[in-house]
Amino acid sequence: MRAGPRRRLLLLLLLPVWGSAAAHNGDLTVRPTCKPGFSEQDYTAFISQNIMEGQKLLKVKFNNCAGNKGVRYETNSLDFKVRADGTLYAAHHLQLPPKQLVLLVTAWDPQSLARWEAVVRFLVADKSQHNGHKPKGRKAVPGELVQQQSDTLLPWRQHQSGLRRQKRDWVIPPINVPENSRGPFPQQLVRIRSDKDKEIHIRYSITGVGADQPPMEVFNIDPVSGRMYVTRPMDREERASYHLRAHAVDMNGNKVENPIDLYIYVIDMNDNRPEFINQVYNGSVDEGSKPGTYVMTVTANDADDGTTANGMVRYRIVTQTPQSPSQNMFTINSETGDIVTVAAGLDREKVQQYIVIVQATDMEGNLNYGLSNTATAIITVTDVNDNPPEFTTSTYSGEVPENRVEVVVANLTVMDRDQPHSPNWNAIYRIISGDPSGHFTIRTDPVTNEGMVTVVKAVDYEMNRAFMLTVMVSNQAPLASGIQMSFQSTAGVTISVTDVNEAPYFPTNHKLIRLEEGVPTGTVLTTFSAVDPDRFMQQAVRYSKLSDPANWLNINATNGQITTAAVLDRESDYIKNNVYEATFLAADNGIPPASGTGTLQIYLIDINDNAPELLPKEAQICEKPNLNVINITAADADIDPNVGPFVFELPSVPSAVRKNWTITRLNGDYAQLSLRIMYLEAGVYDVPIIVTDSGNPPLYNTSVIKVKVCPCDENGDCTTIGAVAAAGLGTGAIIAILICIIILLTMVLLFVVWMKRREKERHTKQLLIDPEDDVRDNILKYDEEGGGEEDQDYDLSQLQQPETMDHVLNKTPGVRRVDERPIGAEPQYPIRPVIPHPGDIGDFINEGLRAADNDPTAPPYDSLLVFDYEGSGSTAGSVSSLNSSSSGDQDYDYLNDWGPRFKKLADMYGGGEED
């Protein structure tokens, strides 16, 4: 570049005046409106790889249009922080790789809680490119970039051999474009022109969102004149600003000027109505609330710019329904939308719900210029306990039979104007006075809220004939502040008790008496009388037995005197723990009659009325002494002191007892029986022993113990032979027992054989009919019979038996006439039983059929049959003259009982005479 004065850049901004007829060419100064945010949305700076702690890297510029008071900054990285003046610095020592580093810086206002963001790009330079020399540059200016030497990013030009600071070539103020413009489009925004266009031909272009990035072609530029246009209406709610870069190149595409940043702001127009978050809001307020009580908040949002009047929403109440007790019961904060009460007199019992129409208007509530929208606020007046319950009448009455519980005596009705079925309405009843013994309680009906006076403790007519109760009613919830109980919250209840026939009762139940057992029959034991509680009724009581297990007692039906009907025995099975129990019934003659029961317990005192019994009854001992002994004791049904100690002794008669046996006393209850002599023959001996108890007077008993004396082994146990001998069985008796056993087994074996044979005969096949009725007996076999008259014309020589069988026996094997009878063993056909058996005729025929089918000597049905020669010259006369007759006394109906196989035969013969 040739040395000379600094060349100027001419920038022609053609800003159309909206609403005017013409635009003026030349330099125009645009006064942008204050828009909170960063001066740039994207900051870029060169930094080195080695960053010291606290080193300043970049300064961002932010303006909240309120002096930045209280604005705070933060980043999305722990390695970098931002001071209150916007300076970005390193939080600690960093060693960065040579690549681009992107940060997000956020500014937020703690009062409005609004947040703004900007992107910071750090280009980390490689140390090798600078040869250890740090380039000099100017300090970061707010809204500008702090950069090192770069043809692309630095707006400085290099002169001679050094670097010097230069002014930026292009300074472009922000461009403001109103939204919703009606055109015509394209519409010129600005003209960009370089002062080099007089020397060379320059081509202009723009890049960025809205140009060559989506949304595409919102802006375009005339490449020759540099005029930039907007091609369609803008919508601030869709996008509020655009950041474009303008480029100037020569005809060869070489850069002539550094790119310039163009900021286009869309000016907001009031084109959006406020929109309520909900169309219907629900709130509530207690009845009786004081003015200024908060109810609810309604909120409407406006999509327009909230920093301008276009987005500033104000609220007001349009209508209130119903307008009672005042048409202005509520008011709304025009800025916050808080609805509060403004008048007193909210009463749920009069008005339970209000419907309030709320209007939201932008343009700070200017109804002439602003846009409006409405929503419905439903305010429910909630109930408080400002109405005490009151009885509908001051006195109630009821009646109850005595001795009845869980009976509802009276229903107490109350009136409460609070919300039904709520704690403010639910009644609680209390008995204040008149029931010191707690006979009654009052329960609340959950549906009707009535008080049900109920008997919980039986009342006695003879004690109380009537009750005068004082009751009070209140609510579950306490009364609201300033509300007093009504005098109608108390009432009186009169309850009359009716007398009923009560059952007699025994004052002492169970009654216990003590006496000795064995008292004679008819002894008076006691008087077991009952009391009738009905003192005001003249009734008689009669007694009877209800339970007397041993039937030992009698009771006088009039006065209840009890006497013995039998001797009472303490040792009886009916006695439990020395006590005998009997139950008696006392019944009055009321209408209806009533009865009560009483139990009499008799404790029987023992007397010495049972002699002791020797135990055991049987024992065994060895035939030689000093090997073992028999321990004996005694059992006494009585109890102490009428039992042990016992005295055991042997009687003097017979004398052999004391001669052979001896008793040694062990203690008061036990003794030992042993042999006195050196040897006693094996056998069973009855040893009498006298046992005496310690009763007063003492009782004794002579008991016999069976002692088996037997030979013993070395351990003192009886041997098997010895046990048999001791049982008194000799050798002959044992042999006789064995013979009897063998005979018994033989008889059993013979009986089994006879039963099997009988069973076999029973299964033998028999005919169903008697032999004389057997149809097969009608075919008689005779040795010889003469032919009839009609048989004389036949040549009987063909039927003669040949004299010899040589011509048959000499035939070649396998060659035989089919009409010749074979030579060989004939099959055995079943033998008809002599005694017919019902039901076996069918089996007999089937067996005969099977034998005939298997008979090799039977010729085919279509062959010439060969018969034995019966001889000639029969001496018998011809029987051809005999006539058969179907008449007779033969009855064939029994064929119907033979089964389906004889069905055809039964139809032929049992059907009666043919027509």
Side-chain angles (χ1 to χ4, degrees):
M1 179 178 293
R2 189 160 54 93
R6 182 179 301 170
R7 181 172 298 173
R8 295 183 303 168
L9 289 176
L10 298 179
L11 176 63
L12 300 180
L13 298 177
L14 300 180
L15 297 177
V17 178
W18 307 103
S20 64
H24 301 278
N25 295 329
D27 296 335
L28 299 178
T29 302
V30 180
R31 297 179 181 177
T33 60
C34 180
K35 180 179 179 64
F38 288 94
S39 61
E40 299 184 26
Q41 297 296 320
D42 196 334
Y43 294 87
T44 305
F46 276 99
I47 60 175
S48 62
Q49 290 182 267
N50 188 17
I51 304 296
M52 303 303 294
E53 181 179 356
Q55 180 178 343
K56 300 178 181 179
L57 304 176
L58 179 68
K59 186 174 183 180
V60 296
K61 181 180 180 181
F62 174 79
N63 185 11
N64 68 343
C65 300
N68 291 350
K69 184 178 181 180
V71 175
R72 299 179 183 179
Y73 301 92
E74 59 185 22
T75 67
N76 63 344
S77 174
L78 299 177
D79 298 332
F80 302 93
K81 293 183 179 180
V82 183
R83 294 191 176 95
D85 60 351
T87 302
L88 184 66
Y89 65 96
H92 52 82
H93 180 267
L94 297 174
Q95 187 70 30
L96 303 177
K99 63 178 183 179
Q100 179 176 282
L101 181 64
V102 180
L103 300 178
L104 185 64
V105 178
T106 303
W108 65 282
D109 190 345
Q111 295 182 353
S112 63
L113 301 181
R115 303 177 72 90
W116 298 267
E117 295 179 348
V119 177
V120 176
R121 304 177 189 272
F122 288 128
L123 301 179
V124 183
D126 192 353
K127 295 181 179 180
S128 61
Q129 297 179 357
H130 306 286
N131 298 322
H133 298 285
K134 182 178 179 180
K136 297 181 180 180
R138 64 185 178 93
K139 295 181 179 180
V141 179
E144 298 182 349
L145 301 176
V146 179
Q147 300 175 337
Q148 294 178 345
Q149 182 180 2
S150 174
D151 292 340
T152 302
L153 298 176
L154 294 179
W156 298 275
R157 297 175 183 266
Q158 185 175 1
H159 296 276
Q160 297 178 357
S161 61
L163 295 175
R164 65 184 179 89
R165 181 178 178 182
Q166 294 184 355
K167 292 179 63 178
R168 296 190 60 173
D169 294 329
W170 297 359
V171 178
I172 303 297
I175 303 171
N176 296 322
V177 180
E179 67 172 334
N180 302 325
S181 175
R182 296 184 179 180
F185 296 98
Q187 209 167 41
Q188 182 175 330
L189 296 179
V190 68
R191 180 181 180 186
I192 301 173
R193 178 172 171 268
S194 173
D195 58 354
K196 294 181 181 180
D197 60 354
K198 296 180 180 180
E199 300 176 0
I200 59 176
H201 294 285
I202 296 177
R203 292 291 181 266
Y204 301 97
S205 63
I206 56 175
T207 59
V209 176
D212 60 347
Q213 298 177 21
M216 308 284 286
E217 298 180 353
V218 176
F219 305 97
N220 60 26
I221 190 170
D222 188 326
V224 177
S225 65
R227 290 182 175 88
M228 192 172 70
Y229 300 92
V230 59
T231 62
R232 59 191 182 192
M234 308 296 289
D235 187 358
R236 192 201 68 85
E237 288 71 40
E238 180 179 346
R239 189 175 182 88
S241 64
Y242 296 87
H243 179 198
L244 303 177
R245 306 200 78 180
H247 306 270
V249 297
D250 59 14
M251 301 301 293
N252 295 325
N254 298 320
K255 181 175 66 173
V256 176
E257 300 286 357
N258 291 329
I260 187 174
D261 292 322
L262 299 177
Y263 293 95
I264 302 173
Y265 294 106
V266 182
I267 301 175
D268 182 49
M269 306 294 290
N270 190 18
D271 58 344
N272 291 279
R273 293 179 179 274
E275 296 291 340
F276 283 95
I277 296 177
N278 300 312
Q279 196 60 35
V280 178
Y281 290 84
N282 290 283
S284 62
V285 61
D286 291 339
E287 61 176 332
S289 296
K290 297 180 180 180
T293 303
Y294 172 80
V295 180
M296 68 170 71
T297 299
V298 296
T299 303
N301 297 324
D302 197 317
D304 293 324
D305 190 357
T307 62
T308 65
N310 298 334
M312 295 181 181
V313 180
R314 298 295 182 265
Y315 304 93
R316 73 186 187 95
I317 293 178
V318 180
T319 61
Q320 167 195 309
T321 304
Q323 297 181 358
S324 173
S326 171
Q327 62 180 358
N328 295 319
M329 296 296 296
F330 305 95
T331 186
I332 187 170
N333 188 306
S334 61
E335 294 184 1
T336 62
D338 294 340
I339 298 177
V340 296
T341 60
V342 71
L346 291 173
D347 191 351
R348 189 204 66 86
E349 286 72 36
K350 295 180 180 179
V351 179
Q352 298 183 3
Q353 191 179 78
Y354 291 91
I355 298 178
V356 177
I357 305 301
V358 180
Q359 184 182 60
T361 306
D362 57 17
M363 298 300 291
E364 296 183 296
N366 191 322
L367 298 178
N368 295 325
Y369 304 103
L371 301 177
S372 301
N373 215 335
T374 60
T376 301
I378 300 177
I379 302 175
T380 302
V381 181
T382 57
D383 183 47
V384 298
N385 194 11
D386 57 346
N387 294 281
E390 297 177 349
F391 286 104
T392 58
T393 182
S394 59
T395 58
Y396 297 88
S397 62
E399 187 178 76
V400 59
E402 64 174 336
N403 301 324
R404 296 281 300 277
V405 293
E406 297 302 326
V407 177
V408 177
V409 179
N411 289 332
L412 311 181
T413 56
V414 296
M415 181 184 65
D416 195 324
R417 291 177 294 174
D418 290 320
Q419 184 176 356
H421 305 290
S422 69
N424 299 330
W425 179 82
N426 295 335
I428 297 177
Y429 299 88
R430 292 183 299 114
I431 299 176
I432 300 176
S433 62
D435 185 24
S437 300
H439 291 284
F440 304 94
T441 187
I442 304 178
R443 298 167 181 167
T444 304
D445 189 321
V447 177
T448 64
N449 213 27
E450 293 181 354
M452 299 179 293
V453 182
T454 308
V455 181
V456 294
K457 182 179 179 182
V459 296
D460 189 356
Y461 175 82
E462 286 72 27
M463 298 295 294
N464 295 287
R465 299 188 183 185
F467 292 87
M468 298 294 295
L469 307 180
T470 301
V471 298
M472 174 181 288
V473 62
S474 59
N475 294 125
Q476 286 183 351
L479 290 176
S481 177
I483 305 300
Q484 300 296 328
M485 290 292 295
S486 172
F487 71 94
Q488 295 180 352
S489 297
T490 59
V493 181
T494 302
I495 301 176
S496 301
V497 181
T498 58
D499 190 16
V500 297
N501 185 25
E502 299 177 78
Y505 67 94
F506 291 89
T508 54
N509 194 15
H510 302 16
K511 184 175 182 179
L512 178 64
I513 62 174
R514 301 170 63 92
L515 72 155
E516 290 186 349
E517 63 174 328
V519 295
T521 303
T523 302
V524 177
L525 301 182
T526 185
T527 299
F528 197 26
S529 59
V531 177
D532 192 348
D534 297 315
R535 294 179 296 172
F536 303 100
M537 298 182 183
Q538 300 299 326
Q539 299 179 150
V541 178
R542 298 189 64 82
Y543 303 92
S544 61
K545 283 197 305 183
L546 188 63
S547 172
D548 184 10
N551 201 22
W552 285 345
L553 305 175
N554 289 327
I555 187 169
N556 188 294
T558 304
N559 57 17
Q561 187 181 70
I562 297 176
T563 58
T564 60
V567 177
L568 278 62
D569 187 6
R570 192 201 63 83
E571 290 75 32
S572 172
D573 294 335
Y574 299 103
I575 301 298
K576 304 297 180 184
N577 298 324
N578 302 326
V579 176
Y580 179 75
E581 282 192 359
T583 305
F584 299 93
L585 183 70
D588 60 21
N589 58 350
I591 300 175
S595 61
T597 60
T599 301
L600 177 65
Q601 294 181 332
I602 304 175
Y603 185 89
L604 295 178
I605 301 173
D606 183 46
I607 61 174
N608 193 16
D609 57 347
N610 293 278
E613 294 288 337
L614 183 68
L615 293 176
K617 299 296 184 182
E618 296 181 356
Q620 67 180 19
I621 194 172
C622 296
E623 59 187 2
K624 294 181 179 181
N626 299 327
L627 292 179
N628 56 7
V629 294
I630 300 173
N631 292 324
I632 59 176
T633 184
D636 197 324
D638 295 322
I639 60 176
D640 191 69
N642 298 319
V643 288
F646 300 102
V647 177
F648 302 91
E649 56 183 347
L650 295 174
S652 57
V653 178
S655 59
V657 175
R658 292 193 174 186
K659 177 181 178 181
N660 296 333
W661 305 92
T662 182
I663 292 179
T664 304
R665 182 183 179 87
L666 295 179
N667 53 38
D669 295 329
Y670 290 92
Q672 287 183 345
L673 177 65
S674 59
L675 287 175
R676 179 184 294 272
I677 59 178
M678 297 302 297
Y679 173 79
L680 185 63
E681 183 180 358
V684 178
Y685 296 87
D686 292 335
V687 180
I689 298 176
I690 301 173
V691 184
T692 306
D693 60 21
S694 299
N696 186 19
L699 296 180
Y700 68 92
N701 182 30
T702 302
S703 301
V704 177
I705 179 173
K706 289 185 176 296
V707 180
K708 296 180 181 179
V709 179
C710 60
C712 298
D713 53 16
E714 62 276 6
N715 296 325
D717 299 326
C718 285
T719 61
T720 304
I721 299 177
V724 173
L729 296 178
T731 305
I734 295 175
I735 295 175
I737 292 174
L738 293 177
I739 293 174
C740 291
I741 292 174
I742 294 174
I743 293 174
L744 182 60
L745 293 177
T746 304
M747 293 178 64
V748 171
L749 181 62
L750 293 176
F751 179 75
V752 172
V753 173
W754 177 76
M755 289 297 295
K756 287 183 175 292
R757 182 173 182 181
R758 183 178 179 184
E759 184 71 16
K760 183 176 180 181
E761 292 176 355
R762 189 168 63 90
H763 288 289
T764 305
K765 304 299 180 182
Q766 299 176 353
L767 288 176
L768 184 63
I769 60 175
D770 295 335
E772 59 185 17
D773 296 331
D774 192 354
V775 296
R776 292 171 292 184
D777 287 345
N778 295 333
I779 303 176
L780 302 178
K781 293 177 62 177
Y782 296 95
D783 292 339
E784 186 177 11
E785 63 180 4
E789 294 84 357
E790 298 179 356
D791 295 338
Q792 302 302 323
D793 296 336
Y794 292 96
D795 184 7
L796 298 178
S797 62
Q798 299 295 331
L799 302 176
Q800 293 179 355
Q801 176 71 23
E803 298 296 334
T804 63
M805 299 295 294
D806 295 339
H807 65 286
V808 177
L809 298 176
N810 294 332
K811 283 187 177 181
T812 305
V815 179
R816 184 175 65 86
R817 288 175 52 186
V818 296
D819 59 346
E820 293 180 353
R821 180 178 180 180
I823 303 301
E826 295 184 358
Q828 297 296 324
Y829 287 91
I831 300 175
R832 182 184 61 200
V834 179
I835 301 174
H837 189 276
D840 290 342
I841 187 65
D843 295 338
F844 178 80
I845 294 177
N846 286 333
E847 292 180 4
L849 179 62
R850 284 194 296 270
D853 292 340
N854 298 325
D855 187 4
T857 62
Y861 295 109
D862 57 350
S863 62
L864 180 62
L865 301 179
V866 178
F867 296 94
D868 289 343
Y869 176 67
E870 297 181 349
S872 58
S874 175
T875 57
S878 175
V879 296
S880 300
S881 60
L882 298 177
N883 294 327
S884 62
S885 175
S886 60
S887 62
D889 297 334
Q890 183 68 36
D891 185 7
Y892 297 98
D893 290 339
Y894 60 85
L895 296 176
N896 293 319
D897 300 332
W898 286 12
R901 297 179 180 176
F902 294 90
K903 179 65 176 173
K904 186 67 176 178
L905 200 59
D907 293 341
M908 294 174 60
Y909 290 94
E913 298 292 338
E914 295 181 358
D915 295 337

